[in-house]
Amino acid sequence: MKNKLFSGESINIEYKVEMPKKSEKYMKTVVAFANGRGGRIVFGVDDKTLNIVGMNPDTIFQTMDAITNAISDSCEPKIYPDVTLQSIDDKTIIVVEIHPGPMRPYYIKNKGLVDGTYVRVAGTSRHAEGYMLKELILEGQNRYFDNEPCEYLEINEDDIKDLCDKMKKIAIENTWNDEEKAAIRDVTKNILITWGILKEDNGKIIPTNAYALLTGKMQIQPTIQCAVFKGKTRAYFVDRREFSGPIQYQVQLAFQYVLEKINMGMQIKGIYRQDVYELPINSVRELIANAVAHRNYLEPGNIQVAIFDDRLEVTSPGMLLNTVSIKKMIEGYSRLRNPAIANAFAYMKIIEKWGTGIPRILRECKEYGLKKPELIDFDGDFRVNMYRREEKSKTTQTTTQTTTQTTTQTTTQITTQTTIKLTKNDHEILQVIQNNPALSQKEIAMELGWTVDRVKYYLNKMKKQEAIRRIGSSHKGYWELLIKL
């Protein structure tokens, strides 16, 4: 307990040398903890030095009662803290634990809802800005911004059908297997209502904010800002673009921008070569899609996709939701901030299973031999850094190919422009095909325990390299190997 309590002020720990005469000096932190993930206020510790000062033993119980009463009287809705004593180095401190509250927003009663609501950001208690307060109100009522009616937007049956048709078209474009394409169901008005993209009120169909975002008709439609910077800071722009319109198209445009700006290299193994991007492109797409699906749309900021010499940086407006932590995300936990958008993206094959994105990104970066991505919850935003390879390389608007020649104990490599490099993953797929050329992409994925998208990625690359080709249809055809294993 001592290590936890005295590791420094953080998002869930704050220190006070003594109980302030004016309770408002710590009441901001009380409501901030209740509006967030909870936390502890420790009385009797110097916040600057972390020295244990202790509380006056003669009046410590009166002080505990005063703290409890002040919190109960000052906050709305009522907050009931756990107030305990702890002895450290022959000195006694008071630990006040505030639990996450289910009736958000909590605020200081005499300041009112607007002026008295606080949140915890980067280890400090800050006044909740308007968009933060709106999200707390929705959260406390178990509502979601993307499910809320878009009052100013009028739609008709043709508008609804147009969105349904476009969503199905994107779903088909993002599906490679003919059998899976044929299985994609039509989107209907009732399905959109089930997902929360539309609402029905007294027989009238009302669009929600999700509908506005998916059609690009929000009054202030968010965008994705993309840029390339020289070096490792934001000091010098090399190039920048901003993508607007329906959010599902923004994902694809931002993804293509990244592919244009990162390097494509040639790796050599045996007598083969293969062109590969320096970053796992499925993970790049997942990062951008997750940022769009999970961002806080009440916050006025935009998603930023920044490319530096050493990393790809994707920043999404909005702190993590109260029950979500980086540790939980790494373990596969997910909580939807925008369930209607998530449903639409899942149907369009823009995102896969909920909660699997971060673990898959970490795994693919490890397989690529890259440094572990960094997840950062900071100053009201969430950021993921995907680190590029450490080798020196020049980035241009078109892809730059770099040739690396290596030798192994068993093979001497002679490289030419026609040699193809096969990775370990390529070999695994080719071995499965060699054993059973009639397997579909889905069956190959099941055989290897991979996702279908991952199999598609490697098969498409090898087809372009003329290492394999498909004979006949995707349903009744077979794979032909054009190289020797």
Side-chain angles (χ1 to χ4, degrees):
M1 178 61 73
K2 181 176 179 179
N3 289 338
K4 256 186 175 181
L5 283 180
F6 304 107
S7 57
E9 290 192 333
S10 65
I11 194 169
N12 57 5
I13 292 285
E14 186 159 299
Y15 305 110
K16 300 291 181 185
V17 174
E18 59 185 3
M19 178 183 170
K21 293 180 180 179
K22 291 185 178 180
S23 63
E24 187 178 314
K25 290 189 176 181
Y26 65 91
M27 215 55 63
K28 295 177 182 179
T29 301
V30 170
V31 297
F33 283 156
N35 283 325
R37 302 171 198 168
R40 295 186 180 101
I41 304 176
V42 184
F43 293 91
V45 177
D46 190 312
D47 62 327
K48 294 183 175 63
T49 65
L50 299 189
N51 288 335
I52 300 170
V53 179
M55 302 296 288
N56 185 340
D58 296 330
T59 59
I60 197 166
F61 291 106
Q62 292 94 319
T63 302
M64 290 175 65
D65 290 340
I67 292 171
T68 302
N69 292 334
I71 292 174
S72 178
D73 294 341
S74 301
C75 303
E76 188 72 30
K78 284 190 178 296
I79 296 173
Y80 301 97
D82 288 335
V83 184
T84 58
L85 299 177
Q86 289 194 31
S87 294
I88 308 289
D89 299 334
D90 297 325
K91 296 177 182 177
T92 304
I93 60 174
I94 298 175
V95 180
V96 178
E97 183 165 8
I98 307 297
H99 299 285
M103 299 173 66
R104 300 181 180 93
Y106 292 85
Y107 58 94
I108 300 173
K109 191 185 303 184
N110 64 11
K111 293 174 72 71
L113 176 65
V114 174
D115 294 329
T117 302
Y118 291 82
V119 294
R120 196 73 173 168
V121 180
T124 61
S125 299
R126 298 186 188 178
H127 178 256
E129 296 183 47
Y131 71 88
M132 294 179 178
L133 180 57
K134 289 178 183 177
E135 185 170 49
L136 286 170
I137 292 171
L138 290 173
E139 190 176 356
Q141 298 174 356
N142 198 29
R143 292 157 55 198
Y144 303 92
F145 171 78
D146 68 337
N147 284 172
E148 292 295 296
C150 189
E151 304 289 352
Y152 58 84
L153 192 59
E154 294 287 337
I155 59 171
N156 55 41
E157 292 293 330
D158 289 339
D159 296 326
I160 295 171
K161 185 178 185 305
D162 183 58
L163 175 60
C164 291
D165 292 344
K166 287 178 178 177
M167 288 177 65
K168 184 175 181 181
K169 181 181 179 183
I170 293 173
I172 292 173
E173 290 173 350
N174 288 335
T175 305
W176 296 92
N177 182 281
D178 287 344
E179 186 176 354
E180 291 181 6
K181 288 179 187 288
I184 295 174
R185 60 177 177 166
D186 291 337
V187 185
T188 66
K189 177 171 65 177
N190 287 334
I191 290 175
L192 295 184
I193 292 172
T194 300
W195 288 346
I197 296 172
L198 300 175
K199 282 186 179 294
E200 188 172 11
D201 184 20
N202 294 323
K204 183 179 180 181
I205 301 301
I206 301 172
T208 66
N209 291 323
Y211 177 93
L213 289 164
L214 291 166
T215 56
K217 295 179 179 178
M218 286 288 286
Q219 281 185 332
I220 303 178
Q221 181 76 1
T223 65
I224 299 181
Q225 298 171 329
C226 298
V228 178
F229 293 92
K230 182 179 180 181
K232 300 180 181 181
T233 70
R234 295 181 179 236
Y236 300 103
F237 274 108
V238 175
D239 182 76
R240 53 181 157 181
R241 290 280 303 279
E242 185 167 314
F243 300 107
S244 57
I247 56 175
Q248 62 271 33
Y249 297 120
Q250 291 184 29
V251 172
Q252 186 61 26
L253 291 170
F255 173 59
Q256 290 299 329
Y257 181 89
V258 173
L259 295 191
E260 291 173 7
K261 301 303 179 183
I262 63 175
N263 296 323
M264 181 182 282
M266 183 183 72
Q267 297 178 331
I268 308 299
K269 185 176 182 181
I271 62 172
Y272 304 110
R273 71 168 267 218
Q274 184 181 30
D275 292 332
V276 293
Y277 285 102
E278 62 172 307
L279 297 175
I281 62 173
N282 286 339
S283 292
V284 171
R285 188 171 185 267
E286 185 93 31
L287 275 184
I288 297 170
N290 280 346
V292 174
H294 297 294
R295 66 155 288 175
N296 181 352
Y297 282 99
L298 285 163
E299 184 172 344
N302 292 308
I303 291 169
Q304 294 185 339
V305 178
I307 302 172
F308 300 88
D309 286 357
D310 65 332
R311 70 192 185 278
L312 168 67
E313 182 182 277
V314 180
T315 305
S316 180
M319 297 180 292
L320 295 178
L321 291 170
N322 289 320
T323 60
V324 180
S325 67
I326 290 175
K327 181 180 179 182
K328 285 183 177 180
M329 292 175 69
I330 291 173
E331 294 171 352
Y333 175 83
S334 177
R335 180 184 165 201
L336 298 178
R337 177 178 251 129
N338 304 297
I341 292 172
N343 279 314
F345 274 28
Y347 169 81
M348 291 184 285
K349 315 295 183 184
I350 296 173
I351 59 175
E352 290 193 38
K353 295 178 182 179
W354 298 332
T356 63
I358 294 299
R360 185 164 56 249
I361 290 168
L362 295 174
R363 183 180 66 249
E364 289 188 356
C365 286
K366 183 177 181 181
E367 291 173 355
Y368 242 66
L370 301 176
K371 180 180 174 181
K372 185 177 179 180
E374 186 179 15
L375 282 61
I376 308 168
D377 185 13
F378 78 108
D379 202 28
D381 292 329
F382 179 68
R383 174 174 292 168
V384 179
N385 288 330
M386 181 183 289
Y387 288 93
R388 305 173 74 176
R389 296 191 184 279
E390 295 181 358
E391 295 88 22
K392 297 289 184 181
S393 59
K394 294 183 179 180
T395 304
T396 64
Q397 188 166 350
T398 57
T399 52
T400 302
Q401 295 188 347
T402 58
T403 305
T404 306
Q405 182 172 351
T406 59
T407 57
T408 65
Q409 293 179 344
T410 57
T411 308
T412 301
Q413 287 116 14
I414 303 175
T415 64
T416 70
Q417 290 185 343
T418 59
T419 57
I420 301 173
K421 191 269 178 181
L422 294 180
T423 67
K424 178 183 176 183
N425 292 332
D426 296 331
H427 276 288
E428 289 183 12
I429 292 180
L430 293 176
Q431 192 64 56
V432 170
I433 290 173
Q434 188 176 56
N435 294 337
N436 190 347
L439 290 179
S440 67
Q441 293 178 344
K442 185 175 182 180
E443 289 168 333
I444 294 172
M446 292 175 63
E447 187 78 18
L448 293 171
W450 293 2
T451 64
V452 175
D453 279 348
R454 185 179 174 193
V455 170
K456 291 175 186 174
Y457 168 71
Y458 286 105
L459 288 176
N460 285 332
K461 286 200 302 178
M462 287 190 285
K463 282 194 288 186
K464 291 178 181 178
Q465 295 296 323
E466 298 184 350
I468 58 172
R469 68 181 172 190
R470 183 74 178 177
I471 306 297
S473 70
S474 60
H475 183 58
K476 295 183 179 180
Y478 63 91
W479 296 99
E480 180 182 7
L481 298 185
L482 304 178
I483 59 175
K484 291 182 179 181
L485 294 181

